[in-house]
Amino acid sequence: MKKIIFFIVLLFTISNLTAQIYDPVSFTTAVKETGENKYTLIITAKIDKNWHIYSQNVPKGGPAPTAFTFPKSKNYKTIGGVTEPDGHEVDDPVFNMRIKYFADKAVFTQNIERKTADAFVINASIFFMVCNDNSCLPPGDKDLKFTFKKSDIPIKEDAAVTVANTAETKTATISTDTITKQEIKKDTTISVTASEKETLKSKENPGKLSTPNSDDSLWTLFFFSFLGGLAALLTPCVFPMIPMTVSFFTKQSKNKAVGIRNAAFYGIFIIIIYVILGSLVTAIFGADALNALATNVVFNIVFFILLVVFAISFLGAFEIVLPSSWMTKVDQKSEVGGLIGIFFMALALALVSFSCTGPIVGTLLVQAAGQAGIAPIVGMFGFSLAIALPFAIFAAFPGWLNSLPKSGGWLNSVKVVLGFLELALALKFLSNADLVLQLHLLEREVFIAIWIGIFSVLALYLFGKIQLSHDSPVTHISVGRLSLGILVVSFVVYMIPGLWGAPLQYISGFPPAKQYSESPNGFGNTTTLNTEKTALPEGAESGPNGITTFHDYDLGLAYAKKVNKPVMIDFTGYACVNCRKMEERVWPDPKVLSVLNNDVVLISLYVDDKRPLPESEQVVSKITGKILKYTGQKWSELQILKYKTNAQPYYVLMDHKENDLNKPSAYNPDIEVYYKWLQEGVKNFKK
């Protein structure tokens, strides 16, 4: 129901974009005295619901970071940089990096030392970019004003020193091939916080930018945790306990109803024990700490080693066991009657089965750490629910126990298969560390090649061609094992084209992104995607998917008149998330790509283009009253004045007299709807 409501709201939002000018962030300022001649400047950003601004520290190639400018003055001196709140960190699927942002409200502070008793005003400014789940607005700046009244306390002469000369600094910029770094004049300085460790986590998962603990991510975690619990049930440490425990409850109880009740409490206590474990992890580390651990180089390497150890254990090299004294004490407590005895029976199961469940529980907690918040609790609930259900179900229907397969060598085979899966998963954490350090040791092709190797060996094992030390002799293989082997072989075959650049959507998020590759276009592919066009028109370049693209409005319009085709204006941005989604998921569709290549002239206008405008084109904005200094400001002004919107992406089909051919389109991932919109415009042009 939540998803249905979301899509309805989103539909109305998109349909009304053409009549909206967004200004979702407002700023207020305050001054707080903190000591003798010491003050804190407070900047409070109030952000509309579903919108967010970014941190001051954004990895290179990401969206525009927030930056503050404080002019040099004899009246005050800044102390340190601007301090920002904790905010939220997410894995951005388009920029392929971990990005920190602020939603609802963000309070920034800057400490200063006052140098004069006279009244004065600090005219600072903030440069920022604001986005929501559907669009991003072009980066802009707002003025910040701090007023100081005349002080009754004179400033000591030895404190009235001149402001030290500062080195020329630069704002954080969006790193692209066509954007030059925006240099700040020498009479200003930018305050930034101490640089945090920039982290990059490559993900190709489609979908919206999601906050930690969103409903979708928690449901996904619950689902995979439940599957992990089912896998744990099929291990030799847990599966044999099902008939033994259920028989105990049914035989020791006065009647069937009591037996079912006791078995139900047994299952509930199993859930409680594992949920307590998840709660402890959350309480000890906290949401932010868990999130930091999941993206830290050292801990990613530790997780990698941990999972490799678990995998080797599952493969039969050794067993991970808890101290026997723990199990002895718990077993003694389980002999107590009533609910207390049942609780300790559940605890005994958790301890006895640790050698099998430990690696799975450890893996789930590691995965949950990446989401933080209540994710470890949700993960442990899903895992324990899968383990607890059989005990209650078979207690209610004891006759079903006869349908369970007998314990045997197949249980060890399940454990070995889990070992291979643990080994494959471990590689993801090593890949994270490699991405953060940008070592390029585990690029996409290498990662896929190792996975192909792991799953190929797993297939040989399932077909009985390889045996490990704890395996029973394989005289024949079951239909189930054969089917699983065929599935694994099919998966290996599916991955092979990934070595040559195939997207591999089913495992997106595990291998590094295409950009982090030895050959981003595929081995031996040095040509552009648009092979039909041998020469580009003057002023054009090969854009997304090889489409001939103009970045100059006048040149593109002139070329459209020359070839007698309609113009498609693409108001976009280098840091626009949904612009990339459209270019990567909608434009490559054959019928859409055919229209963009053959039936229209594409003019892509980047509203965050930081290339300086020639002085002859630097005019006063009709919106802000400020001089337009950059190319992107020019295109943003055009979009706002003509189309009454400032959100990207925004697509306009127009004729040679600059009249719209149909209603402009905003972000719309529906390929069929987008294609019909293109066809409608082209058809109207030909009338």
Side-chain angles (χ1 to χ4, degrees), residues 316-361:
F318 53 83
E319 284 197 6
I320 304 172
V321 294
L322 296 174
S324 58
S325 58
W326 294 12
M327 287 177 279
T328 301
K329 292 180 180 179
V330 170
D331 191 54
Q332 291 174 349
K333 294 287 185 181
S334 65
E335 296 177 0
V336 178
L339 294 180
I340 295 178
I342 295 175
F343 173 81
F344 279 100
M345 282 185 65
L347 182 58
L349 172 68
L351 296 178
V352 170
S353 63
F354 179 78
S355 62
C356 293
T357 60
I360 301 175
V361 170

Side-chain angles (χ1 to χ4, degrees), residues 252-529:
Q252 297 298 321
S253 303
K254 296 180 180 179
N255 53 58
K256 183 178 180 180
V258 175
I260 294 175
R261 186 202 67 180
N262 290 341
F265 274 113
Y266 182 71
I268 291 171
F269 286 140
I270 290 174
I271 295 174
I272 290 174
I273 290 168
Y274 282 102
V275 169
I276 289 175
L277 174 61
S279 302
L280 287 175
V281 170
T282 304
I284 293 172
F285 293 101
D288 292 336
L290 279 173
N291 203 40
L293 290 182
T295 58
N296 182 275
V297 174
V298 174
F299 281 95
N300 267 289
I301 294 175
V302 170
F303 291 157
F304 165 72
I305 296 173
L306 180 67
L307 294 184
V308 169
V309 171
F310 283 158
I312 294 173
S313 171
F314 267 177
L315 293 174
F318 53 83
E319 284 197 6
I320 304 172
V321 294
L322 296 174
S324 58
S325 58
W326 294 12
M327 287 177 279
T328 301
K329 292 180 180 179
V330 170
D331 191 54
Q332 291 174 349
K333 294 287 185 181
S334 65
E335 296 177 0
V336 178
L339 294 180
I340 295 178
I342 295 175
F343 173 81
F344 279 100
M345 282 185 65
L347 182 58
L349 172 68
L351 296 178
V352 170
S353 63
F354 179 78
S355 62
C356 293
T357 60
I360 301 175
V361 170
T363 303
L364 292 176
L365 287 176
V366 168
Q367 289 295 97
Q371 298 182 41
I374 63 170
I377 300 174
V378 173
M380 290 301 95
F381 176 71
F383 175 83
S384 57
L385 181 63
I387 291 182
L389 280 177
F391 293 98
I393 292 174
F394 284 113
F397 306 98
W400 290 5
L401 287 172
N402 297 326
S403 63
L404 284 178
K406 302 299 181 181
S407 301
W410 68 273
L411 288 175
N412 185 70
S413 299
V414 172
K415 195 174 176 181
V416 171
V417 170
L418 292 176
F420 279 105
L421 296 179
E422 288 272 352
L423 198 59
L425 181 60
L427 200 63
K428 174 59 181 173
F429 293 96
L430 184 62
S431 174
N432 290 343
D434 181 64
L435 283 165
V436 170
L437 297 175
Q438 289 290 288
L439 298 177
H440 288 269
L441 298 177
L442 195 58
E443 293 180 317
R444 183 178 176 86
E445 293 90 347
V446 177
F447 185 101
I448 294 173
I450 295 176
W451 263 35
I452 289 173
I454 292 174
F455 286 97
S456 295
V457 175
L458 173 58
L460 292 174
Y461 174 81
L462 291 171
F463 291 138
K465 303 300 181 182
I466 297 175
Q467 290 190 0
L468 299 177
S469 57
H470 291 75
D471 287 331
S472 302
V474 179
T475 57
H476 65 280
I477 59 175
S478 64
V479 174
R481 185 164 176 167
L482 175 64
S483 301
L484 182 59
I486 293 173
L487 183 64
V488 172
V489 170
S490 301
F491 180 58
V492 170
V493 174
Y494 168 76
M495 288 192 291
I496 291 175
L499 298 173
W500 285 270
L504 304 183
Q505 289 292 333
Y506 288 114
I507 59 171
S508 62
F510 284 95
K514 286 185 180 180
Q515 298 90 324
Y516 199 76
S517 172
E518 294 179 9
S519 180
N521 294 326
F523 291 152
N525 185 4
T526 59
T527 61
T528 62
L529 294 176

Side-chain angles (χ1 to χ4, degrees), residues 582-595:
M582 292 293 291
E583 293 164 4
E584 293 174 3
R585 299 169 196 165
V586 177
W587 288 12
D589 181 81
K591 53 182 178 290
V592 172
L593 188 59
S594 177
V595 175

Side-chain angles (χ1 to χ4, degrees), residues 552-554 571 605-607 609 613-614 617-619 628-641:
D552 184 280
Y553 185 94
D554 295 326
F571 288 103
L605 304 179
Y606 287 80
V607 298
D609 189 337
L613 282 169
E617 297 181 26
Q618 292 185 10
V619 297
L628 301 177
K629 297 181 179 180
Y630 304 104
T631 302
Q633 292 176 327
K634 176 182 177 181
W635 304 137
S636 180
E637 177 109 342
L638 171 66
Q639 183 186 4
I640 293 173
L641 290 177

Side-chain angles (χ1 to χ4, degrees), residues 231-243:
L233 277 174
L234 300 178
T235 60
C237 310
V238 181
F239 187 82
M241 300 293 292
I242 297 175

Side-chain angles (χ1 to χ4, degrees), residues 69-148:
T69 302
F70 293 91
K72 292 166 59 176
S73 171
K74 64 180 180 180
N75 297 324
Y76 72 96
K77 180 180 72 173
T78 57
I79 302 174
V82 174
T83 301
E84 63 183 29
D86 292 336
H88 307 277
E89 289 190 31
V90 295
D91 296 310
D92 189 276
V94 176
F95 292 110
N96 297 315
M97 61 181 65
R98 194 156 190 84
I99 298 177
K100 179 180 177 181
Y101 72 87
F102 312 108
D104 300 326
K105 180 181 178 181
V107 179
F108 303 87
T109 59
Q110 169 68 62
N111 293 324
I112 69 164
E113 180 180 354
R114 185 170 184 165
K115 293 296 185 179
T116 178
D118 297 333
F120 65 94
V121 174
I122 299 177
N123 291 306
S125 65
I126 178 173
F127 177 84
F128 67 99
M129 179 177 181
V130 59
C131 298
N132 63 13
D133 292 336
N134 185 55
S135 61
C136 288
L137 305 186
D141 54 63
K142 288 190 178 181
D143 296 330
L144 304 172
K145 185 177 181 180
F146 304 90
T147 302
F148 287 78

